[in-house]
Amino acid sequence: MAITDILSAKDIESALSSCQAADSFNYKSFFSTVGLSSKSPDQIKKVFGILDQDKSGFIEEEELQLFLKNFSSSARVLTVAETKAFLAAGDTDGDGKIGVEGRIWGNLAKL
């Protein structure tokens, strides 16, 4: 399954263009612009599955750094500061990874 099976290419392009500069990524704005906040819980879990590159059931720091590249291979990698802030926002138990039921993914529809 491709991410464009769930999200529109136009919304992805718009979301990526809003965070081209280093340290400009904001996950709430990105999720809203890309259209994730309007998707069903099942669709959100499918996107999570695409982003979970190693299929561990979690998104770890290394996967977060490459987060934008999942939406377009030409996108930039997140900076260390962006990656750490994103991880801190979603890591509910301090284990260094984000689960699909965590703060970010579990509450995505409410953003």
Side-chain angles (χ1 to χ4, degrees), residues 13-34:
E13 183 180 327
S14 179
L16 289 173
S17 70
S18 72
C19 60
Q20 288 180 352
D23 295 317
S24 65
F25 176 77
N26 175 292
Y27 76 89
K28 288 182 182 180
S29 297
F30 186 87
F31 286 164
S32 178
T33 303
V34 83

Side-chain angles (χ1 to χ4, degrees), residues 1-87:
M1 171 176 289
I3 205 145
T4 52
D5 291 339
I6 302 166
L7 305 171
S8 83
K10 181 181 176 186
D11 289 345
I12 291 170
E13 183 180 327
S14 179
L16 289 173
S17 70
S18 72
C19 60
Q20 288 180 352
D23 295 317
S24 65
F25 176 77
N26 175 292
Y27 76 89
K28 288 182 182 180
S29 297
F30 186 87
F31 286 164
S32 178
T33 303
V34 83
L36 270 173
S37 56
S38 66
K39 299 301 178 190
S40 72
D42 185 55
Q43 289 171 311
I44 291 169
K45 286 181 180 182
K46 286 179 182 175
V47 170
F48 183 93
I50 293 167
L51 300 173
D52 178 15
Q53 294 290 307
D54 64 3
K55 305 301 178 208
S56 67
F58 298 95
I59 299 176
E60 293 89 1
E61 190 169 347
E62 298 79 25
E63 291 168 315
L64 277 183
Q65 192 169 23
L66 301 173
F67 177 79
L68 298 176
K69 291 205 164 281
N70 289 288
F71 295 88
S72 172
S73 61
S74 63
R76 69 179 181 86
V77 297
L78 295 179
T79 65
V80 171
E82 289 170 321
T83 303
K84 296 223 180 274
F86 195 2
L87 183 60

